[in-house]
Amino acid sequence: MLVRLLYSSRAVDISPDVIDAILAQSRQHNPTCGITGILCYGGGIFLQAIEGGRMAVSELYGHIQRDPRHKDVVLLDYEEISERRFGGWTMGQVNLLRLNQSILLKYSEKPELNPYLVSGKVSLALLEELMATAAIIGRA
């Protein structure tokens, strides 16, 4: 059974090396577990969707909750799915520096990434629009 989990967290260390290490680890580990997904990072906040088998996704989410590089980990949405939305990605990354701010403003009060202030469905819609507008880099 496939599931999709959407969560948000705050980075403990916002240095580019730490963010790159998280992406590299995801891209190395996720394919062996059948995990696909997308990661959006901006302003010290992560928004991530992960898809895969129920046990693999649950184990990964548990690992993220215990990861000292993350704090304030919050589950935004969890659902059983019939197909993957991010199947072509081991872990895509949204480049917020190249993002049209009106896309963020479409989904929130201010043109900034803050999934703590919107619903999980709104956050997922934002990720889907970011995919549709090719704001995602690092398709690996």
Side-chain angles (χ1 to χ4, degrees), residues 35-56:
I35 299 285
T36 57
I38 185 167
L39 174 69
C40 185
Y41 174 78
I45 295 176
F46 292 105
L47 172 62
Q48 185 172 26
I50 51 178
E51 300 170 325
R54 186 187 329 231
M55 288 304 297

Side-chain angles (χ1 to χ4, degrees), residues 37-112:
I38 185 167
L39 174 69
C40 185
Y41 174 78
I45 295 176
F46 292 105
L47 172 62
Q48 185 172 26
I50 51 178
E51 300 170 325
R54 186 187 329 231
M55 288 304 297
V57 168
S58 293
E59 287 173 13
L60 178 56
Y61 184 61
H63 174 76
I64 291 165
Q65 289 176 303
R66 294 183 303 275
D67 189 328
R69 299 172 295 186
H70 296 267
K71 64 180 181 180
D72 303 331
V73 180
V74 174
L75 179 67
L76 300 173
D77 192 48
Y78 179 89
E79 64 183 324
E80 296 175 351
I81 57 174
S82 57
E83 62 185 36
R84 294 173 192 254
R85 179 69 179 102
F86 310 106
W89 305 81
T90 54
M91 192 51 59
Q93 177 188 17
V94 176
N95 184 353
L96 288 176
L97 298 177
R98 294 185 179 164
L99 182 63
N100 181 336
Q101 296 298 306
S102 64
I103 293 175
L104 289 172
L105 193 56
K106 179 178 177 180
Y107 294 99
S108 62
E109 294 177 20
K110 297 179 182 177
E112 59 190 33

Side-chain angles (χ1 to χ4, degrees), residues 6-46:
L6 183 68
Y7 78 91
S8 186
S9 68
R10 296 184 194 280
V12 172
D13 180 346
I14 61 170
S15 68
D17 291 342
V18 172
I19 307 308
D20 290 344
I22 290 172
L23 276 169
Q25 183 179 359
S26 296
R27 290 175 178 150
Q28 181 180 11
H29 177 263
N30 290 352
T32 61
C33 299
I35 299 285
T36 57
I38 185 167
L39 174 69
C40 185
Y41 174 78
I45 295 176
F46 292 105

